Amino acid sequence: MDSLIPFTTSGSLVDCVDRKMLVVLRDGRKLQGVLRSYDQFANLVLEDTVERIYHQDVFAEMKRGLYLIRGENVVLLGEIDLDQEDDVPLRQVDWETLEPYHLKEIADKKQRDELKASILFEKRGFCKEGGEGDGY
Amino acid sequence: MLIFSVFKTLTDQRVTVELKNDLSITGVLKSVDQFLNIRLDNIKVLDEARHPHMMAVKNCFIRGSVVRYVQLPAENVDTQLLEDATRREAVSQAKR
Amino acid sequence: MDTSSAIQEPFDLIRLSLSERVFVKLRGDRELTGVLHAYDGHMNLILSDVEETILIVEQAEDAAENTVNMAKRKMDMLFVRGDGVILVSPPAR
């Protein structure tokens, strides 16, 4: 009988411990850090965490330290391939420089989504629901 | 349990997972758990330019609750078996 | 109409649609039609021969000219997570 270990959350994540991981959160944030611990809810402990923001072909980083992340906010965990990381064709800039562009992108998207919801409401009678799942 | 069992039979197949935030990822299904969390290896992100943060990622763990769809290889799914199992599961659910 | 005593609760109705084409309305302005092969208590579904319709909004300069368009997509075999499902029904005749 094949081992059932891969079919548990613990089994899936055990070889990610002590590795540099990308964590994407439901609010759209992208964090990178070393995964130190997890549990069956995908609650995570991430050490030396860095938050990254992206805009076109440019990115910026901000050190955030030690995080305990509640599992319900996690979208995905990615294993960062340290070789491929050097090949990524993006330029790094200061956080203060990039942040306004990043915030504007978020605000624009929010405005587009609100406009879309109100048009669908007017034209098709679609209710302004909270969104899928918990909406993010 | 039924859907969990279906996914277990599809390990090592290439699937496409579409998330609720519109990110679509193709990869080899390596494992799944009772919450339908998914582990994919050798991933390729559709529309990579819109998701630059995924560029250096080859394997990932996807929380089940953020999945919208999983596109499955039709040839590896026995629909008759599925329907029979569903009927059985429905009956056992009703008896509870 | 069906008078079988087997229909006792809503899920029994869905059971009748197994291996039939169904219409599924999803959250996020999406709709599907497909052949139903499996479902569970969470309304997770497995469908084949699926056509997805997404509603897309086109904005015009003049707000009165805003239009709603549909984009369609076909997929062979699809798992649909139950928390996005609003309703399942036989296709409109």
Side-chain angles (χ1 to χ4, degrees), chain A residues 33-64:
Chain A
V34 180
L35 180 68
R36 290 300 186 196
S37 181
Y38 65 90
D39 65 11
Q40 71 270 34
F41 304 110
N43 293 325
L44 311 169
V45 173
L46 214 59
E47 195 176 28
D48 296 325
T49 311
V50 162
E51 181 181 340
R52 276 203 183 178
I53 52 177
Y54 296 83
H55 184 71
Q56 292 171 358
D57 58 344
V58 157
F59 73 92
E61 284 188 351
M62 171 79 86
K63 287 203 172 81
R64 297 294 190 191

Side-chain angles (χ1 to χ4, degrees), chain A residues 6 9 12 71 77 79 81, chain B residues 31 33 39 56 59 61 63 68:
Chain A
T9 320
S12 305
L77 264 162
E79 266 182 60
D81 187 332
Chain B
S31 90
D33 66 15
R39 183 82 207 240
N59 309 326
F61 167 91
R63 203 164 188 276
R68 182 189 287 144

Side-chain angles (χ1 to χ4, degrees), chain A residues 7 9 13 15 31 34 36 62 64 69 72 74 80 84 89 96 105 112 124 135:
Chain A
F7 301 113
T9 320
L13 287 177
D15 24 322
L31 305 176
V34 180
R36 290 300 186 196
M62 171 79 86
R64 297 294 190 191
I69 302 172
E72 67 169 314
V74 173
I80 296 180
Q84 272 191 13
E96 295 75 28
E105 223 175 287
R112 277 199 307 271
R124 293 280 178 123

Side-chain angles (χ1 to χ4, degrees), chain A residues 7-9, chain B residues 1 4 32-37:
Chain A
F7 301 113
T8 59
T9 320
Chain B
M1 278 305 287
F4 175 35
V32 66
D33 66 15
Q34 48 165 328
F35 305 112
L36 306 183
N37 296 327

Side-chain angles (χ1 to χ4, degrees), chain C residues 26-40:
Chain C
L26 298 173
R27 300 178 83 170
D29 319 314
R30 285 159 200 265
E31 297 167 359
L32 302 172
T33 61
V35 179
L36 181 65
H37 296 293
Y39 67 87
D40 67 9

